[in-house]
């Protein structure tokens, strides 16, 4: 679905009424499908906001993703826990999408009112008499989140110099990838480490390795400061010289090879993040959390019960997102053992989905200190009125579940004789799953490094900061484990809090089974 859609980039977004433009065919199909579902379940569009419309491509886009998520569990899929192919679970009741626009406000340090993204609550409301649900989804959040991703990954700047008449003009020259890498090797003896790494990054990320614009060495200086040697390009007009100023995030090992795919990267992260959020809300229905709330309202409002349900919805959604790629085969038959992705693409897509989970859960804290200390968890535990775990704790739980699941899939694949393969004939061996986890962690570390260096307040960092990041940062890991939510198993306070939840989970699970769950795979 959505193969021909356009997500408007930051340069032209303001010229359009929607974030997304669907193809005419996709628009018609989605409009027809959603109208039929709404009529079948006796639900009409909410009139709270004018953007709730079958004519709004953004509405159709998110509503279509919601139905994709709702349908995941109905497919025939490989159950890693039982080592067998099974048919899907009982059908989840219809979940209707309602867009809302509620940018809550707060005062900043200067006394100005600014959006308070922490209060952009959205979620499934009380089921209707026929079991159908309404999911309120904040349209304001959708717009802000896309802008955030585009700012981080796709607002690249160039330093453009207009050449004076005294400078000899030169038409753009082209080289092959091997020729440029040869140049990098030839200047290695001069000790230009930063320049060599940038040149290799440029060559290795080229779209067409047989015709790459030849870079020219140049000097950068600003207000009399020390000159920096870097690479630039003569433009086609012959009057300008361009020096790409790659933002810090593309000069980290997690994203160095994705610079030329940055538009695609934003789309992949955006879609995966939305699906993750929709899957989380759908999991509340599928796992019977709403049934429990209706049957035992007092019990379901206990702090530990609410926390358990939120964590369970998080990792259930993550499990769906990871397993979904295993259903997509070259023959469209989920039981066929050859996946529709090459090894490289499978590693990329799984890593991106893990990163999307990380960013979407932690995004509301983007302008604040992101470190997690003993005080952070202690303050959270003391808040008896809290209904959701703090994002660090949610990541700690969910990412550890993901790591366990990847290890489990690797073990099952080995026991099954590596029957599952990628489209290019690579068996799903242990090293593939290990690479997914390593790549995802590297992306997360790189994201945090770039975030802290240049993008902490959603504002463009200074040119000097960007320039300082021209060298590639390898394994941009935090200084200590306590700065990484999913490596905080060393934190005794967090472990005890999680143990308390896990002790009560069997009791909650028994009640969920009693009152009916639509999705029962796994724990």
């Amino acid at each position: 679905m959505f193969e021909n859609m356009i997500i408007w980039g930051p340069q032209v977004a303001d010229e359009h009424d929607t974030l997304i433009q669907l193809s005419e065919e996709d628009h018609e199909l989605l409009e027809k499908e959603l109208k039929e579902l709404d009529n079948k379940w006796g639900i009409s569009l909410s009139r709270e906001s004018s953007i709730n419309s079958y004519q709004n491509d953004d509405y159709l886009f998110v509503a279509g993703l919601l139905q994709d998520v709702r349908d995941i569990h109905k497919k025939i899929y490989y159950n890693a826990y039982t080592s067998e192919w099974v048919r899907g679970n009982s059908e989840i009741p219809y979940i209707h999408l309602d867009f809302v626009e509620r940018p809550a406000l707060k005062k900043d340090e200067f006394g100005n009112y600014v959006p308070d993204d922490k209060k952009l609550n959205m979620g499934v409301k009380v089921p209707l008499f026929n079991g159908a649900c309404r999911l309120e989804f904040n349209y304001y959040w959708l717009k802000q989140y896309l802008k955030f991703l585009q700012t981080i990954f796709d607002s690249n700047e160039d330093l453009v110099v207009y050449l004076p008449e005294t400078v000899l003009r030169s038409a753009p020259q082209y080289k092959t990838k091997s020729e440029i890498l040869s140049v990098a090797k030839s200047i290695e003896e001069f000790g230009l480490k930063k320049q060599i790494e940038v040149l290799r990054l440029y060559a290795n990320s080229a779209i067409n390795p047989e015709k790459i614009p030849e870079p020219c060495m140049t000097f950068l200086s600003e207000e009399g400061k020390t000159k920096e040697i870097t690479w630039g390009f003569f433009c086609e007009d012959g009057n300008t010289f361009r020096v790409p100023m790659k933002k810090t995030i593309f000069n980290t090992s997690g994203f160095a090879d994705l610079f030329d795919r940055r538009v695609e990267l934003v789309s992949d992260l955006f879609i995966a993040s939305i699906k993750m959020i929709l899957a989380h809300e759908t999991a509340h229905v599928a796992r019977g959390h709403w049934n429990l709330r209706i049957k035992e309202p007092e019990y379901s409002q206990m702090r530990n019960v609410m926390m358990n349900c939120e964590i369970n919805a998080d990792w259930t959604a993550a499990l769906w997102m990871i397993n979904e790629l295993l259903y997509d085969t070259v023959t469209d038959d989920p039981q066929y053992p050859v996946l529709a992705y090459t090894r490289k693409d499978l590693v990329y897509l799984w890593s991106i989905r893990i990163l999307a989970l990380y960013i979407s859960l932690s995004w509301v804290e983007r302008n604040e200190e992101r470190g997690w200390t003993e005080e952070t968890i202690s303050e959270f535990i003391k808040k008896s009125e809290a209904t959701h775990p703090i994002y660090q704790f949610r990541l700690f739980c969910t990412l550890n579940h993901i790591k366990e699941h990847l290890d489990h899939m690797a073990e099952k694949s080995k026991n099954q004789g590596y029957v599952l393969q990628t489209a290019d004939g690579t068996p799903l061996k242990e090293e593939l799953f290990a690479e997914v986890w390593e790549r995802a962690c590297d992306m997360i570390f790189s994201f945090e490094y770039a975030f802290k260096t240049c993008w902490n307040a959603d504002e463009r960092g200074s040119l000097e900061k960007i320039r300082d990041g021209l060298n590639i940062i390898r394994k941009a890991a935090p200084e200590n484990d306590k700065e990484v939510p999913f490596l905080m198993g060393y934190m005794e306070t967090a472990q005890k809090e999680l143990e308390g939840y896990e002790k009560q989970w069997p009791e909650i699970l028994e009640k969920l089974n009693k009152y009916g769950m639509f999705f029962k795979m796994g724990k």
Side-chain angles (χ1 to χ4, degrees):
M1 187 180 287
F2 308 129
E3 290 186 2
N4 297 316
M5 76 171 186
I6 297 172
I7 297 180
W8 299 115
Q11 294 80 14
V12 297
D14 294 338
E15 301 173 12
H16 301 274
D17 295 329
T18 60
L19 307 175
I20 292 141
Q21 178 178 300
L22 301 177
S23 68
E24 186 175 338
E25 181 182 5
D26 281 346
H27 184 108
E28 290 179 357
L29 288 173
L30 275 171
E31 182 179 355
K32 181 176 182 292
E33 176 188 350
L34 292 171
K35 280 183 177 178
E36 289 176 351
L37 284 168
D38 284 341
N39 290 334
K40 175 183 176 181
W41 290 85
I43 296 180
S44 58
L45 289 174
S46 169
R47 298 303 177 188
E48 179 177 332
S49 176
S50 61
I51 38 81
N52 279 300
S53 167
Y54 299 124
Q55 301 308 311
N56 179 5
D57 277 5
D58 290 346
Y59 177 83
L60 293 180
F61 168 69
V62 178
L65 289 181
L66 176 57
Q67 297 316 308
D68 279 353
V69 169
R70 181 170 164 261
D71 288 342
I72 288 175
H73 76 294
K74 294 193 297 183
K75 297 182 180 181
I76 301 172
Y77 56 86
Y78 184 75
N79 186 334
Y81 291 97
T82 61
S83 304
E84 61 184 1
W85 290 96
V86 295
R87 292 190 178 276
N89 298 263
S90 56
E91 183 174 7
I92 297 175
Y94 178 53
I95 303 176
H96 168 88
L97 177 74
D98 277 336
F99 267 172
V100 294
E101 289 187 288
R102 296 172 183 164
L105 299 177
K106 66 177 180 180
K107 282 188 177 181
D108 64 12
E109 57 183 316
F110 305 107
N112 301 315
Y113 281 98
V114 296
D116 184 359
D117 295 327
K118 284 186 179 181
K119 295 182 180 177
L120 295 179
N121 294 326
M122 46 189 165
V124 173
K125 300 305 175 184
V126 179
L128 304 177
F129 69 93
N130 59 1
C133 301
R134 284 184 180 271
L135 167 58
E136 289 190 348
F137 191 98
N138 202 297
Y139 191 39
Y140 173 81
W141 180 92
L142 188 73
K143 292 183 283 189
Q144 293 298 103
Y145 187 65
L146 177 58
K147 180 181 177 182
F148 173 73
L149 291 179
Q150 290 173 333
T151 300
I152 291 287
F153 294 101
D154 191 26
S155 293
N156 189 56
E157 280 188 346
D158 292 338
L159 180 64
V160 179
V161 179
Y162 289 89
L163 301 174
E165 294 296 330
T166 54
V167 174
L168 182 65
R169 271 29 179 197
S170 176
Q173 303 295 313
Y174 296 92
K175 297 284 187 182
T176 65
K177 174 181 174 180
S178 59
E179 287 173 333
I180 293 179
L181 292 176
S182 178
V183 172
K185 186 175 182 180
S186 67
I187 64 175
E188 198 162 9
E189 60 185 273
F190 297 103
L192 300 175
K193 183 178 179 181
K194 290 184 180 181
Q195 292 71 31
I196 293 169
E197 292 205 355
V198 171
L199 189 59
R200 285 175 175 158
L201 166 62
Y202 172 70
N204 289 325
S205 61
I207 296 176
N208 182 359
E210 297 303 315
K211 188 179 180 181
I212 306 175
E214 180 183 11
C216 308
M217 245 187 193
T218 187
F219 291 90
L220 282 179
S221 62
E222 187 177 12
E223 298 179 357
K225 293 182 180 179
T226 305
K227 292 181 177 179
E228 175 82 17
I229 302 174
T230 187
W231 299 94
F233 309 87
F234 285 100
C235 300
E236 295 287 348
D237 60 14
N239 297 316
T240 51
F241 188 75
R242 181 172 60 91
V243 181
M245 303 303 295
K246 292 183 180 178
K247 293 180 305 204
T248 305
I249 201 158
F250 288 107
N251 291 288
T252 59
S253 54
F255 299 95
D257 61 338
L258 298 176
F259 180 72
D260 281 346
R261 296 177 64 178
R262 58 193 182 279
V263 175
E264 177 187 348
L265 176 64
V266 169
S267 298
D268 290 339
L269 282 171
F270 185 54
I271 293 172
S273 295
I274 297 172
K275 288 186 74 171
M276 176 64 201
I277 292 167
L278 296 172
H280 170 94
E281 298 302 337
T282 301
H284 279 310
V285 178
R287 288 290 199 178
H289 300 166
W290 264 109
N291 290 342
L292 176 63
R293 185 174 296 188
I294 293 170
K295 296 292 185 180
E296 296 195 31
E298 186 174 342
Y299 176 82
S300 66
Q301 296 298 312
M302 292 174 57
R303 187 179 192 273
N304 271 22
V305 176
M306 290 189 292
M307 295 296 174
N308 263 299
C309 287
E310 291 302 325
I311 292 171
N312 180 236
D314 279 341
W315 88 260
T316 297
L319 191 75
W320 285 349
M321 294 292 288
I322 289 175
N323 283 2
E324 184 183 19
L325 299 183
L326 296 177
Y327 315 152
D328 196 2
T329 68
V330 293
T331 64
D332 291 331
D333 177 1
Q335 297 193 64
Y336 196 73
V338 182
L339 304 184
Y341 309 101
T342 64
R343 184 190 194 283
K344 181 179 180 182
D345 285 344
L346 184 62
V347 170
Y348 167 80
L349 290 171
W350 264 337
S351 303
I352 285 295
R353 292 188 173 205
I354 296 171
L355 175 67
L357 175 148
Y358 182 92
I359 296 178
S360 58
L361 280 182
S362 68
W363 184 65
V364 293
E365 304 288 340
R366 66 192 185 284
N367 294 331
E368 300 179 8
E369 179 58 46
R370 296 169 66 84
W372 196 37
T373 64
E374 292 282 0
E375 290 73 24
T376 308
I377 185 64
S378 298
E379 290 175 7
F380 158 64
I381 293 171
K382 292 175 184 176
K383 291 182 179 179
S384 58
E385 74 280 5
T387 60
H388 287 64
I390 51 178
Y391 86 92
Q392 295 99 327
F393 193 77
R394 293 174 70 176
L395 288 172
F396 170 67
C397 298
T398 306
L399 289 168
N400 271 297
H401 271 302
I402 289 175
K403 179 63 169 66
E404 291 173 0
H405 188 57
L406 290 173
D407 291 343
H408 188 75
M409 287 194 295
E411 181 183 352
K412 289 298 181 183
S413 184
K414 180 181 179 181
N415 294 341
Q416 293 292 316
Y418 306 116
V419 68
L420 289 179
Q421 296 186 0
T422 61
D424 52 354
T426 303
L428 269 60
K429 292 189 174 182
E430 297 89 332
E431 52 263 36
L432 185 148
F433 294 100
E435 184 180 344
V436 169
W437 181 247
E438 182 179 358
R439 179 75 192 257
C441 289
D442 199 11
M443 284 181 167
I444 290 170
F445 295 152
S446 295
F447 170 80
E448 287 292 346
Y449 171 84
F451 194 100
K452 291 176 182 177
T453 303
C454 291
W455 307 100
N456 193 42
D458 285 359
E459 298 292 340
R460 177 162 297 285
S462 68
L463 191 63
E464 183 178 356
K465 279 188 177 181
I466 298 172
R467 188 174 300 139
D468 287 344
L470 283 176
N471 60 306
I472 299 175
I473 305 300
R474 304 272 178 205
K475 303 295 181 188
E479 293 181 3
N480 58 71
D481 290 332
K482 288 188 177 182
E483 295 180 3
V484 189
F486 57 93
L487 293 181
M488 291 194 205
Y490 308 103
M491 190 176 288
E492 185 176 347
T493 311
Q495 284 181 320
K496 287 182 179 178
E497 179 74 359
L498 183 57
E499 287 171 5
Y501 296 157
E502 290 177 340
K503 286 179 181 178
Q504 194 168 355
W505 179 243
E507 171 191 311
I508 298 170
L509 187 59
E510 183 178 346
K511 288 180 178 289
L512 293 176
N513 279 311
K514 175 182 177 182
Y515 297 124
M517 290 197 294
F518 299 94
F519 186 84
K520 300 182 180 180
M521 191 187 87
K523 300 175 183 177

